[in-house]
Amino acid sequence: MTSVVSQFDFLPYDHEHALLIGRIWQPELGPVLVCIRGDGVYDLSAIAATSSQLFELEAPAAAIRQTTLPYLTSLDTLLSNAAVATRDLSQPWLLAPIDLQAVKASGVTFVASMLERVIEEQARGDAGKAEAIRAAITAVIGDNLSNVIPGSEAAATLKQVLLAQGVWSQYLEVGIGPDAEIFTKAQVLSAVGLGDEVGIHPKSAWNNPEPEIVLVINSRGAVIGATLGNDVNLRDFEGRSALLLGKAKDNNASCAVGPFIRLFDSKFSMEDVRRAELSMQVDGKEGFSLKGSSSMSMISRDPLELVKHAIGPHHQYPDGLVLFLGTMFAPTQDRLGPGQGFTHLVGDIVTIKTPALGCLVNTVNFTDQIAPWTFGITALLKNLAQRQLS
């Protein structure tokens, strides 16, 4: 079988120093929490049954380093069995590294993305109108709002100016206003992992991937580590009405996370997240190729500020949460015709990379053609009980 990603791309550039947490499906056993190392995959079941449980420990990194872990399988075995189209169900494969955590996302956290959301709103979901609207809006508000601090007096003044000019938007409200947009991206246990298909609704004609860094946070609000994510988005659905955000964001296989969680330690911290450069490539079956990037240094709100908007006195998550940090990647490259911009086609291969967090690769399909999600919380609890894990 051909691997969807090489071991070189899969592992962080400094993997010998990295503490990587993943989940794999073990045939005839079920989901297993693992530690991923350069020389193989090791069972963490003696320490925790779920990643949520592991991150509730006071010192998960120390617990892992102080425990002799059983060897399970090689990285070559996992990577050669990652692609769902050719997957051998008798061999283990990677799952999304999260399980019982709530899956939350922060939106409109980059200026480029914010302007594209305003354009979606004005176009009412019609991709053909986007180009003209983009030119008209940038002529009024410009394309450089990066110096505006969200929630500041300057932001409030700008709002009054834009209101007077008739171009204020709900997306500008959350982009530079006092309150960040935090929404539920997907249901617990519904995220897909490396090599799986990601879903777009068959009625959507304008959609895109959103490459993002995803923070992993325990119930106490402590950020434990980070991973990669693809917040698949239906631009036409959301553009027709913000009340369709749930339908635009939360569909079968519309959330990809992985390939592993890298724990924070002396070699990897929030500062590395703040400096991260994400690259993304979309390769279509017809030969189309799209490349883009997202620089975390351009984010409008600091990641820890977004965490405070997501969890605290007003929002508790007993099993922890993960938080997508948003993207500045807003593809406008024409694919199907002049002025039509970018949209996915079935068969697209989406590759998201950053050196410290490896590589997440998925293939696009329609949501109703992807295997339905069936292994939920009840199934997980029954499985763990049968294995005498708690």
Side-chain angles (χ1 to χ4, degrees), residues 91-355:
Q91 297 295 318
W93 66 87
L94 277 161
L95 302 171
I98 59 174
D99 40 51
L100 294 176
Q101 296 93 340
V103 185
K104 310 294 286 188
S106 44
V108 201
T109 54
F110 290 83
V111 170
S113 174
M114 176 169 61
L115 293 177
E116 285 302 310
R117 294 296 175 266
V118 176
I119 291 161
E120 283 175 16
E121 179 184 41
Q122 296 292 322
R124 297 292 188 266
D126 184 348
K129 298 178 180 178
E131 188 173 14
I133 294 172
R134 185 176 296 109
I137 289 177
T138 55
V140 175
I141 67 177
D143 58 3
N144 184 16
L145 298 176
S146 59
N147 293 325
V148 179
I149 299 173
S152 66
E153 288 187 14
T157 300
L158 176 60
K159 176 178 179 178
Q160 295 306 314
V161 172
L162 296 179
L163 280 170
Q165 294 177 338
V167 294
W168 188 249
S169 160
Q170 59 197 339
Y171 294 105
L172 288 167
E173 177 65 47
V174 296
I176 63 176
D179 299 306
E181 179 189 18
I182 305 292
F183 60 91
T184 296
K185 167 58 188 175
Q187 304 309 302
V188 170
L189 284 172
S190 70
V192 299
L194 177 74
D196 287 327
E197 293 179 316
V198 289
I200 55 171
H201 198 288
K203 290 185 177 180
S204 173
W206 189 21
N207 47 70
N208 63 262
E210 293 189 2
E212 305 188 23
I213 285 185
V214 183
L215 296 182
V216 181
I217 307 159
N218 67 17
S219 67
R220 301 183 294 277
V223 183
I224 301 298
T227 184
L228 295 173
N230 184 356
D231 173 13
V232 183
N233 181 47
L234 310 181
R235 299 189 69 179
D236 44 4
F237 280 46
E238 184 179 1
R240 283 193 283 126
S241 170
L243 298 181
L244 291 174
L245 180 66
K247 195 160 188 177
K249 293 286 189 180
D250 185 7
N251 297 290
N252 185 33
S254 65
C255 176
V257 179
F260 44 70
I261 294 164
R262 181 168 184 176
L263 297 187
F264 284 163
D265 56 19
S266 62
K267 301 293 184 180
F268 179 69
S269 68
M270 184 59 72
E271 285 305 311
D272 294 285
V273 170
R274 293 184 175 108
R275 293 192 297 263
E277 299 282 338
L278 277 72
S279 65
M280 197 203 70
Q281 183 166 334
V282 177
D283 294 301
K285 292 194 297 183
E286 84 282 28
F288 175 88
S289 183
L290 170 72
K291 294 182 179 180
S293 62
S294 188
S295 176
M296 288 299 297
S297 66
M298 301 297 291
I299 198 167
S300 301
R301 301 181 197 262
D302 185 77
L304 290 183
E305 180 187 349
L306 292 170
V307 171
K308 290 180 180 179
H309 282 269
I311 182 171
H314 309 293
H315 304 278
Q316 292 85 42
Y317 298 95
D319 298 300
L321 71 150
V322 297
L323 180 64
F324 282 69
L325 293 179
T327 184
M328 65 178 289
F329 180 73
T332 59
Q333 180 178 331
D334 289 338
R335 184 175 195 177
L336 300 179
Q340 293 297 305
F342 171 83
T343 194
H344 269 310
L345 296 180
V346 168
D348 282 353
I349 298 173
V350 183
T351 303
I352 300 170
K353 294 182 183 180
T354 195

